[in-house]
Amino acid sequence: MAEPSGEQLLYLTDEQLRQGIEAMFFAYRGFTADPDRILDELSYGRAHHRAVHFINCAPGTTVNNLLNILGVTKQSLNRVLRTLIADGLVESRVGRLDKRERHLYLTEEGKALEAKLSDAQRARMRAAYRKAGPEAVAGFRQVLEAMMDADMRRNYRALREPRT
Amino acid sequence: MAEPSGEQLLYLTDEQLRQGIEAMFFAYRGFTADPDRILDELSYGRAHHRAVHFINCAPGTTVNNLLNILGVTKQSLNRVLRTLIADGLVESRVGRLDKRERHLYLTEEGKALEAKLSDAQRARMRAAYRKAGPEAVAGFRQVLEAMMDADMRRNYRALREPRT
DNA sequence: CTTGGAATGTCAACAAGGCTGACGTACTGT
DNA sequence: ACAGTACGTCAGCCTTGTTGACATTCCAAG
């Protein structure tokens, strides 16, 4: 894939890049629009969505682990987790091996919300993928991955792995 | 490295879509990281960046027009504009045709900041584009455009048109 | 010409969700 | 025993979203 086969390797004018920047801006808004609507009705915010999403991906994850993935402070995350636990969407279990740790799980209710949010977001993603075609999707993913910070790319790849 | 490039057609499993969602999340963070650092030093935020960016793209635009592009309330935008005007980065001129309107322009100082932010963001975008290759970039843009809301796509395309 | 309504922009106040700092508690490993 | 780690929490700040109230300006109907 790293072989450009000549072609127009260099069409990286500032104008092209600016368009990419704006596309990213508008697309991200579309990307979050559907979940945001659902969240609003429950008086939750995007922060709750992120927490629920990653707890679902990695059941039993610790608070500290989640902190690294989300890139926020523990105070900030804790505020969100507190409401999710109080509302019975997330369960926090004291670690067996290390009792200082809290392992986080979605309850059935939590899974239901996650599914609802996920479905909405996937629907848009699926529509976009269909419209653009498989090859475009491969390119899309490559550029996104190249755009991440190195340490985030590690997190991202860790989440993609089948299982350890 | 284990990136599927092109071959398989219908791989729109929920798992694949979930990966796309996460890639979008992490990539957007990388995307805004560099400007955020610059902004922080000046005690501005992302909102200032967006305003400066789009005023630069469309000099003389009205507040209302900017509102539509940015998708926030006028009160929210106004707060940001007020500080930018107070700091001498943006100039607001009363409309000649319609005196209710305010036309917005970047001052020299404003243009300097815009260039600084833009350079940082473009550098990352350029690096990602280089790494992924021209074909990936085309796919990237296609998927992003398909992911926008319809009305935002209009704004996006309007901004891509040659100058008026 | 007047007047009411629409459009535009400003000010005030509030909420969500970031942040830092400080501190308490429970546990771990040396 | 003790230093360090993991987590929770309180207090307070900032940015940036929101609504509500209001001033100005324009325009069109009476």
Side-chain angles (χ1 to χ4, degrees):
Chain A
M1 203 63 221
E3 309 317 319
S5 67
E7 295 288 347
Q8 71 289 66
L9 177 60
L10 248 303
Y11 62 158
L12 298 179
T13 64
D14 280 1
E15 176 57 19
Q16 290 282 345
L17 292 167
R18 209 208 67 201
Q19 287 180 17
I21 289 168
E22 283 165 8
M24 196 68 187
F25 170 69
F26 289 124
Y28 195 77
R29 279 248 300 274
F31 170 70
T32 56
D34 302 326
D36 280 356
R37 266 188 291 275
I38 297 170
L39 262 351
D40 263 16
E41 289 168 13
L42 304 171
S43 51
Y44 286 143
R46 237 174 253 183
H48 300 81
H49 184 188
R50 291 194 285 264
V52 165
H53 177 98
F54 285 109
I55 292 173
N56 180 65
C57 285
T61 187
T62 65
V63 173
N64 224 0
N65 189 8
L66 209 48
L67 249 38
N68 289 330
I69 293 174
L70 295 175
V72 297
T73 58
K74 63 174 179 177
Q75 293 91 330
S76 203
L77 174 59
N78 194 255
R79 192 183 348 189
V80 169
L81 281 181
R82 208 184 320 170
T83 72
L84 288 174
I85 291 168
D87 294 353
L89 302 188
V90 168
E91 191 188 352
S92 165
R93 299 184 204 155
V94 172
R96 281 186 314 162
L97 236 124
D98 186 335
K99 290 181 192 160
R100 290 171 302 181
E101 295 179 340
R102 303 297 142 90
H103 297 273
L104 303 169
Y105 299 88
L106 291 186
T107 64
E108 286 310 311
E109 203 183 339
K111 282 178 194 168
L113 175 60
E114 198 283 330
K116 192 174 173 186
L117 294 168
S118 225
D119 285 349
Q121 203 157 34
R122 271 201 295 264
R124 183 183 291 255
M125 189 70 80
R126 184 180 290 116
Y129 276 16
R130 282 242 172 79
K131 199 167 164 186
E135 288 177 26
V137 170
F140 169 71
R141 293 282 299 278
Q142 282 178 289
V143 174
L144 285 190
E145 191 162 343
M147 203 149 46
M148 298 176 195
D149 276 329
D151 47 345
M152 280 304 120
R153 187 151 46 239
R154 262 191 295 101
N155 281 330
Y156 170 66
R157 286 190 169 142
L159 287 165
R160 288 175 56 186
E161 273 163 22
R163 206 169 290 113
T164 31
Chain B
M1 210 55 26
E3 198 52 44
S5 62
E7 271 299 285
Q8 33 304 65
L9 295 188
L10 247 300
Y11 59 167
L12 295 180
T13 65
D14 281 0
E15 176 56 22
Q16 291 283 344
L17 292 167
R18 208 209 68 200
Q19 287 179 19
I21 288 169
E22 283 164 9
M24 197 67 187
F25 171 68
F26 290 124
Y28 196 77
R29 280 248 299 274
F31 171 69
T32 56
D34 302 326
D36 280 356
R37 267 188 291 275
I38 296 170
L39 261 351
D40 263 16
E41 289 168 13
L42 305 170
S43 52
Y44 287 142
R46 238 176 251 182
H48 300 81
H49 184 186
R50 292 195 283 264
V52 164
H53 176 98
F54 286 109
I55 292 172
N56 181 63
C57 286
T61 187
T62 65
V63 172
N64 219 8
N65 188 9
L66 210 47
L67 248 38
N68 290 330
I69 293 173
L70 295 176
V72 296
T73 58
K74 59 183 176 173
Q75 294 89 332
S76 196
L77 174 59
N78 191 257
R79 188 195 306 123
V80 169
L81 283 179
R82 209 185 323 170
T83 72
L84 289 173
I85 291 168
D87 294 352
L89 301 188
V90 168
E91 193 188 350
S92 164
R93 299 183 203 154
V94 172
R96 282 184 310 166
L97 232 125
D98 186 335
K99 289 180 193 162
R100 290 172 302 183
E101 296 179 340
R102 302 296 139 92
H103 297 273
L104 303 169
Y105 300 87
L106 291 186
T107 63
E108 286 310 312
E109 202 183 339
K111 283 177 194 168
L113 175 61
E114 197 283 331
K116 192 175 174 185
L117 293 168
S118 225
D119 284 350
Q121 203 156 32
R122 270 200 297 264
R124 181 181 291 254
M125 188 69 81
R126 185 181 289 114
Y129 275 16
R130 280 238 175 81
K131 199 167 165 189
E135 288 175 28
V137 170
F140 169 71
R141 292 284 299 276
Q142 280 179 282
V143 174
L144 285 191
E145 192 162 342
M147 202 150 42
M148 299 177 196
D149 276 329
D151 48 344
M152 278 305 120
R153 190 151 46 239
R154 266 194 290 103
N155 282 329
Y156 170 65
R157 287 190 168 142
L159 287 165
R160 290 173 57 185
E161 276 164 16
R163 257 168 248 314
T164 39

